[in-house]
Amino acid sequence: MTRPLLDELDRRLIGALHLAPRATWDDFGEILAADASTLKRRYDRLHEARMVRVIGQADWGVHSTAMPVHVFLDITGESPLAVLHRLRDLPHLQLLAQISGDYPLYAVVHAPSEAATSEAIDRMFSVPGVRRVNALPALSTLRRGITWDPQFLTDTERAELLKLTGTRPEGTATATPPAKPLSEAERGVVAQLLQDGRASAASIARTADLATSTAHRVVRRVLDEGWVKPRLEIVSEWLGFRTAFILRLRVAPGATPEVMRRIDRLPQTRLAAHVASDMSVLATGLVADRSALALFVDNELASIPGLLGVSVAVMLAEPRRYWLDRELTTGLGAFHAPRLL
């Protein structure tokens, strides 16, 4: 597959889709001062090239009663990529990566229950080549990748898009189920929006055999309740962001909430989590290259009070992120959406 060549308008469109994944083409056209039909054709081209895809980020409570677990794996007698390939078939794996440092592999397990979490981690021990598993349960997660912004837009354009969507800070993620079980219609809409975050109510109505008016009402409820949040996924490297990283931070007693808030405000951050470990804050992020990572560590990170120690690892390969397989040569692949409770 030929990697698409991007011009300035392509990059601005991608920036706009990050902020408002369900905005109409007319809205995008007005804010970006571009023809709506041109923008749609460009999106279709990028989508067909498997460079971009709008999926749905499920609220944790609709697919799990447990918090995710961040897992670092040591290996023996095998290459990291060989073991990584075997891990791909295990259930409930949201993320898989080869990383630098003492533990060559990193994964995120988010199973539907604590029992399923324990079983999923237990199965990792039986994978040939795995020597040691270091599991760090998340205690709270302040930011997830949906809020990362490639910074391709002006401040005015960004403000207009956020105004259009009514986007609010995501806040702490929890595995709290909806107050009432989802109806059959709501479950069907959630399942479709997970696969296509831009799916229209009319197309959902046809697929789910719902009246169009019912589909409009249910789609609005699903989005308003936050059961699904549309989310743009990209091949980051094709956009020029070639260095993903993981930080593990040792924090002074009592300083964790403020450190996480400071990490959350940095544009390079994709995730900030409080984990059960002596290195109590785990963060992931994305920058252009390793020189930019050095500047990030020496400048932004160094200015945060309360840090007692920092461990930095580079993601050398990331074949799955947020349930979505991805390859540098072929682009975005299969989406392993979590099953609804």
Side-chain angles (χ1 to χ4, degrees):
M1 180 175 297
T2 303
R3 181 184 304 186
L5 298 176
L6 303 182
D7 62 17
E8 184 64 21
L9 183 57
D10 290 325
R11 295 168 70 85
R12 293 174 65 229
L13 173 59
I14 290 170
L17 283 161
H18 264 286
L19 293 171
R22 279 187 67 85
T24 67
W25 299 116
D26 286 335
D27 287 332
F28 283 139
E30 182 176 349
I31 293 172
L32 300 180
D35 179 70
S37 60
T38 298
L39 293 174
K40 184 181 184 306
R41 285 196 301 271
R42 286 175 178 247
Y43 172 79
D44 289 342
R45 176 177 65 91
L46 296 173
H47 184 270
E48 289 168 5
R50 303 194 348 188
M51 181 178 187
V52 303
R53 180 175 175 181
V54 178
I55 59 174
Q57 176 175 287
D59 181 77
W60 287 355
V62 303
H63 70 87
S64 180
T65 58
M67 299 283 276
V69 177
H70 300 266
V71 184
F72 294 84
L73 300 101
D74 194 10
I75 62 173
T76 183
E78 298 275 1
S79 72
L81 290 180
V83 178
L84 192 65
H85 183 74
R86 297 187 188 118
L87 290 169
R88 294 177 75 143
D89 294 330
L90 296 183
H92 316 308
L93 287 181
Q94 183 209 65
L95 183 148
L96 281 169
Q98 179 192 12
I99 63 174
S100 63
D102 295 337
Y103 288 88
L105 300 180
Y106 167 62
V108 178
V109 174
H110 201 171
S113 66
E114 294 291 357
T117 300
S118 177
E119 180 181 351
I121 294 174
D122 188 63
R123 288 182 63 177
M124 288 182 170
F125 284 91
S126 66
V127 173
V130 171
R131 180 173 69 175
R132 183 171 47 169
V133 177
N134 184 16
L136 310 180
L139 305 178
S140 67
T141 300
L142 185 59
R143 165 182 283 228
R144 291 181 284 174
I146 191 173
T147 52
W148 182 78
D149 180 357
Q151 305 285 306
F152 290 159
L153 303 177
T154 66
D155 290 342
T156 299
E157 290 168 337
R158 188 178 295 108
E160 288 299 313
L161 283 162
L162 293 177
K163 185 190 306 180
L164 181 70
T165 61
T167 300
R168 300 182 299 274
E170 189 175 19
T172 302
T174 64
T176 303
K180 295 194 306 182
L182 301 185
S183 68
E184 183 178 349
E186 289 166 343
R187 290 175 63 85
V189 168
V190 167
Q192 290 197 57
L193 286 174
L194 290 181
Q195 293 293 332
D196 181 2
R198 286 189 61 83
S200 67
S203 67
I204 288 175
R206 290 190 295 270
T207 303
D209 196 22
L210 296 173
T212 302
S213 59
T214 300
H216 275 283
R217 175 176 52 80
V218 176
V219 168
R220 189 71 270 154
R221 175 167 171 75
V222 166
L223 295 174
D224 287 347
E225 292 289 340
W227 296 333
V228 175
K229 295 181 180 179
R231 166 183 177 133
L232 181 73
E233 286 297 318
I234 60 172
V235 182
S236 308
E237 294 85 351
W238 293 3
L239 277 179
F241 295 93
R242 296 183 296 275
T243 301
F245 61 88
I246 305 176
L247 305 174
R248 293 182 61 189
L249 310 175
R250 181 173 286 110
V251 178
T256 297
E258 179 58 24
V259 167
M260 288 183 64
R261 281 192 290 269
R262 295 282 294 268
I263 292 285
D264 177 62
R265 291 198 292 265
L266 298 175
Q268 299 90 341
T269 303
R270 288 188 58 86
L271 175 142
H274 184 193
V275 295
S277 170
D278 59 332
M279 305 285 277
S280 60
V281 174
L282 183 147
T284 66
L286 191 59
V287 292
D289 52 34
R290 295 181 189 178
S291 296
L293 176 57
L295 291 173
F296 171 76
V297 172
D298 290 339
N299 296 331
E300 284 93 340
L301 202 62
S303 68
I304 299 176
L307 295 185
L308 302 179
V310 177
S311 172
V312 183
V314 172
M315 293 192 187
L316 305 174
E318 196 176 13
R320 182 177 299 168
R321 185 172 72 224
Y322 195 71
W323 313 101
L324 187 63
D325 290 342
R326 58 194 73 217
E327 298 291 345
L328 287 182
T329 54
T330 58
L332 302 177
F335 180 45
H336 309 271
R339 293 185 178 181
L340 305 181
L341 294 177

